Amino acid sequence: MLYTPIQFRNVELKNRWVMSPMCMYSSENGMANDFHFVHYGSRSQGGTGLLIVEATGVEPRGRITNHCMGIWNDEQAEQLQKIVEFVHKNSESKIGIQLAHAGRKGSTWNNLQISLEEGWETIAPSSIPYHPSERIPHALSTDEVKEHVQYFKKAAQRAVKAGFDVIELHGAHGYLIHQFLSPLSNIRTDEYGGSFENRIRFLIEIVDAVNEELNEDTALFVRISGTEYAENGWDIEDSVALAKILKEHSVDLVDVSSGGNIHGAKISVFNGYQVPFSSQIKNEAQVKTGAVGLITNVEQAEEILQNNEADLIFVAREILRNPYLAIQGAFEVKEECFFPHQYTRAKISS
């Protein structure tokens, strides 16, 4: 199954390998540069079905660090468009972008908060810092929450114009959307806090606003944390319930990660440790899912698909080590995969 195509709206991926979005901390003023061109371009030569550009801030305060990517203005989108055009012209890969807002985890570097002089005032659903040593974030007013929905909408508009095939919304890892989802970081008393329905409202409004900018040529994914590993926090049952609603709102795939919102949460990490969350959401919510988390080889990836635990395989660290992971895997299992014509003399026949 790993080397069979799959379709989301009109977007067909040639195989099930996905380069997971990973921050590169290499932008100035949110701009992509030559490093990003080479980084994403080289992975497109490796046969990966879908590449997803790193968490990209929908406003300046939405970045994790002051060296993270942004798409809050047209100049940033135009730089990203050059990467998109290269990928489309020189490979069979599709390319997506992860739209993000760091919320209370913004303005940080290596888990240390940047000074206000170098960074910015952080924002959150409630005035609760991620770590007690960090400054207290500004709790968004109801009107400010609605304003942030529009930031995502405008970022999606720019991303579509730049030619991206997939938009992914970052609702995981303790960033702003996740902060709204969790009852541990969201203690609001307005329409965006309290009940499950209120806490998911911010994400659902973003989904609907972004979908207004999309057509059948651009698919919509949402990344969530299946659980946050904390008592009385967001858990897998919440994720299943959310996934059912996301499907009703025309989300094409739920990308299932975990954790990130509660400082000091105990997480048992092993190869494929998040796959059970993807499996439960896929089978109970009847939605397409992506599995991520220490997936390192073709046999492991194929087994996940054969067991009906996911529809896509998101790979992070392994594809940093080996940009040609998909091609190399195809050689091992004697499957067909895109191979750059410039490198034909090195191709191993299947």
Side-chain angles (χ1 to χ4, degrees):
M1 291 177 65
L2 188 55
Y3 290 92
T4 59
I6 186 171
Q7 189 159 325
F8 303 92
R9 305 190 189 191
N10 290 336
V11 180
E12 184 182 84
L13 310 185
K14 294 296 186 180
N15 58 56
R16 310 300 181 91
W17 289 113
V18 181
M19 186 180 83
S20 196
M22 292 172 281
C23 294
M24 294 291 106
Y25 308 111
S26 298
S27 296
E28 296 296 333
N29 300 316
M31 295 284 287
N33 54 42
D34 288 348
F35 168 80
H36 300 97
F37 190 92
V38 172
H39 171 63
Y40 294 109
S42 64
R43 269 83 197 159
S44 74
Q45 299 306 289
T48 308
L50 172 65
L51 315 169
I52 303 184
V53 170
E54 63 206 78
T56 304
V58 298
E59 63 140 334
R61 294 177 302 177
R63 295 170 295 167
I64 304 165
T65 76
N66 50 11
H67 291 290
C68 288
M69 189 89 79
I71 191 168
W72 63 81
N73 64 46
D74 292 342
E75 188 179 9
Q76 292 162 341
E78 287 164 6
Q79 283 294 99
L80 287 164
Q81 184 174 345
K82 295 175 185 177
I83 297 172
V84 172
E85 289 174 349
F86 176 86
V87 170
H88 285 162
K89 183 177 179 180
N90 294 281
S91 76
E92 292 181 355
S93 298
K94 300 298 184 183
I95 183 166
I97 186 169
Q98 187 183 69
L99 303 182
H101 197 299
R104 68 180 184 174
K105 293 180 81 172
S107 196
T108 58
W109 182 261
N110 290 337
N111 297 318
L112 297 174
Q113 193 152 64
I114 302 168
S115 68
L116 269 175
E117 290 73 26
E118 296 180 84
W120 52 88
E121 179 187 42
T122 54
I123 63 171
S126 303
S127 299
I128 305 171
Y130 173 68
H131 187 276
S133 67
E134 296 176 354
R135 54 182 170 268
I136 295 173
H138 163 67
L140 294 168
S141 69
T142 303
D143 286 344
E144 287 173 325
V145 175
K146 295 181 185 302
E147 185 177 42
H148 278 74
V149 172
Q150 295 305 306
Y151 290 151
F152 278 91
K153 179 182 173 71
K154 291 173 183 174
Q157 184 181 65
R158 293 189 181 98
V160 170
K161 186 177 179 181
F164 284 101
D165 304 294
V166 174
I167 306 294
E168 177 168 275
L169 302 176
H170 199 348
H173 301 164
Y175 299 125
L176 186 62
I177 293 173
H178 186 177
Q179 291 160 32
F180 272 88
L181 297 176
S182 170
L184 300 180
S185 50
N186 179 355
I187 56 172
R188 300 174 70 93
T189 57
D190 66 355
E191 65 197 88
Y192 293 100
S195 66
F196 172 83
E197 289 75 19
N198 282 359
R199 286 183 282 111
I200 70 171
R201 189 184 306 277
F202 180 52
L203 171 56
I204 299 305
E205 288 185 355
I206 291 171
V207 166
D208 289 346
V210 166
N211 260 323
E212 289 175 4
E213 300 298 329
L214 308 185
N215 57 32
E216 290 302 302
D217 295 326
T218 312
L220 180 60
F221 294 0
V222 174
R223 171 166 277 192
I224 64 170
S225 284
T227 180
E228 56 188 14
Y229 305 100
E231 187 176 358
N232 299 319
W234 183 267
D235 59 24
I236 186 60
E237 287 74 23
D238 292 322
S239 292
V240 170
L242 173 62
K244 291 177 180 177
I245 295 168
L246 291 175
K247 182 180 180 182
E248 293 172 357
H249 287 258
S250 300
V251 169
D252 299 292
L253 177 134
V254 180
D255 170 11
V256 187
S257 188
S258 68
N261 193 44
I262 305 303
H263 186 269
K266 298 292 187 288
I267 305 174
S268 178
V269 177
F270 51 89
N271 281 0
Y273 70 104
Q274 294 171 151
V275 173
F277 304 133
S278 167
S279 177
Q280 187 170 343
I281 291 169
K282 174 177 171 58
N283 289 288
E284 292 186 14
Q286 293 296 297
V287 297
K288 289 186 171 68
T289 63
V292 62
L294 296 184
I295 301 170
T296 60
N297 60 66
V298 67
E299 293 83 4
Q300 182 188 9
E302 182 65 31
E303 183 178 14
I304 291 166
L305 296 172
Q306 292 289 350
N307 289 341
N308 199 37
E309 294 174 305
D311 298 275
L312 294 180
I313 303 299
F314 284 67
V315 183
R317 278 167 273 195
E318 193 61 31
I319 208 165
L320 294 182
R321 290 186 281 263
N322 180 9
Y324 300 94
L325 176 66
I327 286 176
Q328 188 173 34
F331 289 161
E332 292 174 15
V333 296
K334 301 189 184 313
E335 292 283 355
E336 283 300 314
C337 183
F338 166 82
F339 197 89
H341 68 85
Q342 297 92 337
Y343 302 167
T344 300
R345 70 190 66 147
K347 186 174 182 180
I348 300 172
S349 56
S350 57

